[in-house]
Amino acid sequence: MPHKAVQVRLYPTALQEALLAQTFGCSRWWWNYALNKSIQVYQDTGKGLGQVALNALLPKLKKAEDTIWLADCYSQVLQATTLNLTTAYKNFFDKRAGFPKFKSKHGKQSIQYPQNVKIVDGNVKLPGNIGIVKAKIHRPIAGKIKTVTVSKTPSGKYLASILTEIEGENPTISEGKIYGIDLGIKHFAVVTDGENVSKYDNPKHLAKHEKNLKRKQKKLARKEKGSKSRNKYRQVIASLYERVSNSRQDFLHKLSHKLVSDSQAVIVENLHVKGMVRNHNLAKAISDCGWGTFTNFLAYKLERKGGKLVEIDRWFPSSKLCSNCFYQVSQMPLDVREWTCPNCGTDHDRDGNAAINIRAEGIRMLALSAVEMLKTDGAAVSAVGGEVRPKGGCKSVLRHSPVSTEADTVLGTPSQCG
């Protein structure tokens, strides 16, 4: 069944803030304790601790004098923390993420409720002793609530991410445009549908606030560490970073929605951003773009609609290839923005030409995928229709036919035997 997440703003009372802070602290402490325990056991025995083994430690900790305060925390929150830690370990061993890190009370705080969360009169009712928390739900919560993640941002805002399960089959579409996208720094995206090429400038969200950020960070550095003034001013800087992040997310959501709304497939390059940011001259500009987030937005929005996101190989020579005659030049430095094909004489805009080549390569991959599916379906029909291997070592001239096992009459089949 498809899932959908909606993030809403929470407005807890002073008492609820204190209870949430206590729950954040319990979850954070248990994460750090379980992570440290897992590391120690692995160093001693060479084996890790699984979810069941970690959860088995909780009853003793809740009864111990030093950690009896853990008993006041809603039990499902601690078990969800264990599940998240074991998932983080699995992602690390599968090379999808780095090694799990210890959590700090100065960063973003979050807890997860895997069940028993309800929507009551437009507000969110959390289990345990927290109760109904005032919320601003800007869109209807459809489907069955699976998990709710409550978080507190560094700027002091409370958010709830509500994940729901929606009944019904995934939709499929067969009509719409096929977009090819070349992502860049000067132009965030150069998009083509096969006829027209559109360029979307990079808003450079961080660069717009960089001067203001430097001034405020200098002011923060002059304040005494541990003072109330320093802690208060940290929230001012956190709010500014949050504004940058929100403006970037807004741009990425709007552009991805625009492209998905009238398309059946979107084709992008599989960029190795982690390797690209090693170039210190471009690292800040690349990080400010948010290419990975944009690709994720395209993926889930296309999946929800029934479309496809196609990622072509990062080594595909999209910029070096002439989209008219397919002649490939040997070198294409970054400072070359326009070039002429030495083979056919066609003038190219570097990014527009790359977008056209990306689209063509994606269509080729989609066609190959469709052919493979037809071959697979054909093999499946043949296997269901008749005997794959004739008995007695005799080979039929007509091979096996779907009619042979479903028709009422027996067809005389010539044989190659004797």
Side-chain angles (χ1 to χ4, degrees), residues 390-406:
K391 296 179 181 178
C394 299
K395 195 172 183 179
S396 169
V397 174
L398 300 180
R399 309 289 292 175
H400 45 273
S401 169
V403 180
S404 61
T405 58
E406 296 181 5

Side-chain angles (χ1 to χ4, degrees), residues 2 31 38 115 133 191 197 202 242 275 298 311 325 334 353 371 405:
W31 169 283
S38 298
Q115 58 186 10
V133 182
V191 183
V197 176
N202 183 4
E242 190 176 283
L298 287 173
E311 291 186 290
C325 67
L334 285 174
N353 176 69
V371 170
T405 58

